[in-house]
């Protein structure tokens, strides 16, 4: 492989990683639940693209495997599973009152992304000289953005997407630093992601049936304090 | 073969439970299979203590995937033991609530899957696979936590899943960094043993980053403060036998994964892994001791006590090699005692029909068995002599004091005393005094006056009390050897 091709592949990978970061911001800020799911699908496709490009660059069959697993499980099986398990209403939900308003949330998200750059670069350097490109800092950034999504959203679907985005972020960094992890592990992790979607879908359906809402973030009757106050809140 | 069989038995039980054969089929199958697993695990632990490696561990093709040493054997033994007593307890407890046959099958199928996922943690040798089974413990127990389908149970299950998986996401990155660290240090097989061998060559910075990510990520599931917020909810809303599993062994088996990293970290000079453990442990024990004072729900009381005990174990690990035996003894004693406490709390719940501490008075008159068990459990879990936990807490404090760590040990002793008064003040008010019949929640007391516990609950209470009593005065020689081997696995 010529140096020019290598260079091109690295640049394309950087482009995919950059777009990956953008989808992370999108998941924090998109009000429409359906939009969140679409952004997550785009994010998984970009992860697969990054794995394929790095696979070409380093000639690693294992990375092609990662790309294939991501291509099949997340854009196809996850939406299918969601349709099967959870109430149809979760797609059309819009969050009017988020915990933080969108500009503030984006500002904090930006700070997280910048912070993860300062952590990610030395970490990538410590792994070895052949870990180039922005995969590690952007992976950490999306990991943190996913965790941040979990703290600001209340609707079930965006919360689930936040969890899966964290895993995507860990993987984007992982394909750069742990290139030959083993196919069995890879498949097991993909299956695990699907079990997460299944269990959470079942829980959301039960919540909707019992409580009549899918804004699971608003459930807050369990806490310390006087039992009367807790009972009052449960009645409201 | 035996190790594979140990993992297969709960899976076979899961399949059998789904067959529709009468009312007692599901519970019977679960008890029989758990008991068979306990016998196999006890035999395995015996072999490990005797120094005979089971057949598949001598074969290189297997040893890259599964490994059992003293530490794994101890955790396996606890999982199988508590799994069995909780299964016996479930028979009468779940039948008492008269669920539909479909929900009964769902309960036992999830129960067996949950046991399987926990048994796989100490057996697997490859860290990323361990991460996956840790995720499975969350996913298999989520539907057990939400079993009652009430608003509160669903909220607890949701919080449990979201926070545990959030922690797992951080831990996944930690395990990938650990793999990268090993690769940067010249490679080797990615197993606990391989890590131990490769540790001196790994870049210290990566190793430290991986340690902190895994400590924070899995610490969420262990219930370390400040990541503990989900634990009292999930550990109090689940059906009581499941609470015994969650508090008694799930937290411990996740802590086991963190413990596996300590010998690896000792290869790095100045890694401060022990200091992290000591500080996080003291914060957890202290916060939980104060939160214990203001609970209104007696199952939450025991849940906070779990946070406190995880803190005590981590503090002991932070004291270094000489306290490792005490830490292992504390793990053993906490598991047997905490599961007994939840059995007692469940008996009180059956008798009184409410979880409110303020609504329960004179329990000992309504149900002498439940009242006596609750007081005994309270004394045992807070470390009253001559019961099991007193012995291990005393040995931890003794090691700390001989090392001259007066401030840390003073704090730890204070927290233990605060927790003692917190727990006993609440339980004392519940057990003695004039009896009241409280407004029922979802357990309807059939008649006023005295209440008779289901036979299987009585049996589980008796079986659970035996180790709490015996281990306080006498540790059998094979068990002592196992604890010593487990402690030795924590140092290089």
């Amino acid at each position: 492989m010529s140096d020019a091709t290598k260079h091109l592949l690295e640049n394309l990978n950087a482009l995919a990683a950059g777009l990956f970061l953008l989808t992370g911001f999108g998941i924090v800020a998109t009000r429409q639940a359906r939009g969140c799911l679409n952004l997550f699908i785009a994010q998984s496709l970009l992860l697969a693209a990054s794995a394929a490009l790095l696979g070409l660059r380093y000639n690693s069959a294992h990375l092609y495997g990662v790309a294939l697993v991501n291509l099949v499980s997340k854009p196809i099986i996850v939406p299918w599973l969601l349709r099967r398990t959870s109430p149809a209403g979760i797609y059309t939900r819009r969050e009017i009152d988020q915990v933080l308003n969108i500009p503030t949330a984006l500002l904090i998200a930006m700070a997280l992304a910048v912070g993860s750059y300062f952590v990610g670069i030395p970490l990538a350097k410590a792994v070895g000289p052949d870990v180039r490109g922005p995969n590690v800092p952007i992976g950490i950034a999306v990991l943190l953005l996913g965790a941040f999504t979990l703290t600001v959203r209340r609707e079930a679907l965006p919360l689930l997407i936040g969890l899966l985005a964290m895993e995507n972020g860990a993987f984007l960094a992982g394909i750069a630093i742990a290139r030959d992890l083993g196919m069995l592990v890879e498949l097991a992790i993909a299956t695990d992601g699907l079990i997460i979607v299944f269990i959470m879908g079942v829980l959301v359906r039960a919540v909707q049936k019992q409580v009549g809402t899918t804004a699971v973030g608003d459930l807050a009757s369990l806490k310390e304090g006087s039992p009367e106050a807790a009972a009052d809140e449960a009645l409201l | 073969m035996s190790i594979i069989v140990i993992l297969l038995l709960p899976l076979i039980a899961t399949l059998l439970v789904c067959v529709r054969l009468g009312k007692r089929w599901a519970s019977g199958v679960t008890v029989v299979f758990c008991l068979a697993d306990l016998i196999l695990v006890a035999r395995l632990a015996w072999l490990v203590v005797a120094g005979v490696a089971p057949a598949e561990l001598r074969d290189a093709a297997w040893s890259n995937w599964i490994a059992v040493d003293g530490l794994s054997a101890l955790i396996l033994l606890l999982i199988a033991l508590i799994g069995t007593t909780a299964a016996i307890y479930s028979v009468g407890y779940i039948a008492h609530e008269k669920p539909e046959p479909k929900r009964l099958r769902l309960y036992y199928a999830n129960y067996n899957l949950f046991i399987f996922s926990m048994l796989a943690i100490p057996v697997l040798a490859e860290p990323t696979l361990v991460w996956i089974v840790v995720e499975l413990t969350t996913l298999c127990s989520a539907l057990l936590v939400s079993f009652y389908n009430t608003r509160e149970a669903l909220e607890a299950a949701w919080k449990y899943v979201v926070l545990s998986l959030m922690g797992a996401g951080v831990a996944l990155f930690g395990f990938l960094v650990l793999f990268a660290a090993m690769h940067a240090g010249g490679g080797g097989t990615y197993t606990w043993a391989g890590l131990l061998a490769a540790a001196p060559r790994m870049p210290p910075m990566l190793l430290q980053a991986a340690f902190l990510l895994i400590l924070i990520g899995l610490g969420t599931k262990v219930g370390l403060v400040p990541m503990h917020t989900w634990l009292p909810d999930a550990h109090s809303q689940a059906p009581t036998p499941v609470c015994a599993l969650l508090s008694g062994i799930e937290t411990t088996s996740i802590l086991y994964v963190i413990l596996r990293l300590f010998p690896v970290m000792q290869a790095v000079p100045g890694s401060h892994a022990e200091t992290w453990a000591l500080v996080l442990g003291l914060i957890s024990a202290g916060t939980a001791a104060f939160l214990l004072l203001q609970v209104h729900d007696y199952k939450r009381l025991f849940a906070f006590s779990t946070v406190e005990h995880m803190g005590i174990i981590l503090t002991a690990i932070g004291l270094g090699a000489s306290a490792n035996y005490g830490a292992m003894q504390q793990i053993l004693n906490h598991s047997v005692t905490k599961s007994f406490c939840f059995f007692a709390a469940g008996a009180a719940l059956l008798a009184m029909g409410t979880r409110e501490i303020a609504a329960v008075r004179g329990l000992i008159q309504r149900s002498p068995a439940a009242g006596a068990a609750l007081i005994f459990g309270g004394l045992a879990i807070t470390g009253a002599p001559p019961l099991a936990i007193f012995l291990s807490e005393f040995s931890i404090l003794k090691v700390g004091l001989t090392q001259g760590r007066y401030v840390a040990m003073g704090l730890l002793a204070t927290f233990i005393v605060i927790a003692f008064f917190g727990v006993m003040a609440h339980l004392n008010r519940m057990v003695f005094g004039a009896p009241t019949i409280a407004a029922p929640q979802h357990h309807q007391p059939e008649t006023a006056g005295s209440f008779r516990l289901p036979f299987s609950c009585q049996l589980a209470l008796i079986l659970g009390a035996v180790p709490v009593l015996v281990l306080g005065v006498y540790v059998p020689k094979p068990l002592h050897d196992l604890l010593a081997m487990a402690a030795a696995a924590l140092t290089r």
Side-chain angles (χ1 to χ4, degrees), chain A residues 132-151:
Chain A
R132 274 185 300 255
N135 277 41
V136 177
I138 288 183
I140 297 176
V142 172
L143 184 80
L144 293 176
L145 289 180
F148 182 57
T149 308
L150 292 179
T151 61

Side-chain angles (χ1 to χ4, degrees), chain A residues 178 192 210-211 221 224-225, chain B residues 135 149 151 155 179 296 300:
Chain A
D192 179 77
Q210 281 299 319
V211 192
S221 51
E224 259 43 68
Chain B
E135 286 256 281
N149 254 334
R151 186 191 169 101
E155 179 191 338
F179 182 82
H296 295 278
R300 280 179 92 86

Side-chain angles (χ1 to χ4, degrees), chain B residues 193-244:
Chain B
L195 271 175
L196 210 54
R201 299 190 303 275
M202 293 188 202
M205 184 221 163
L206 285 181
L207 204 50
Q208 249 162 354
F211 173 74
L212 282 183
L213 287 167
I214 296 172
L215 180 66
I216 292 169
L218 295 184
T220 310
K221 236 194 136 196
V222 176
L224 299 178
V225 176
M227 294 88 78
H228 69 287
T229 50
W230 63 270
L231 190 142
D233 298 344
H235 288 209
S236 61
Q237 292 298 325
T240 305
V242 178
C243 298

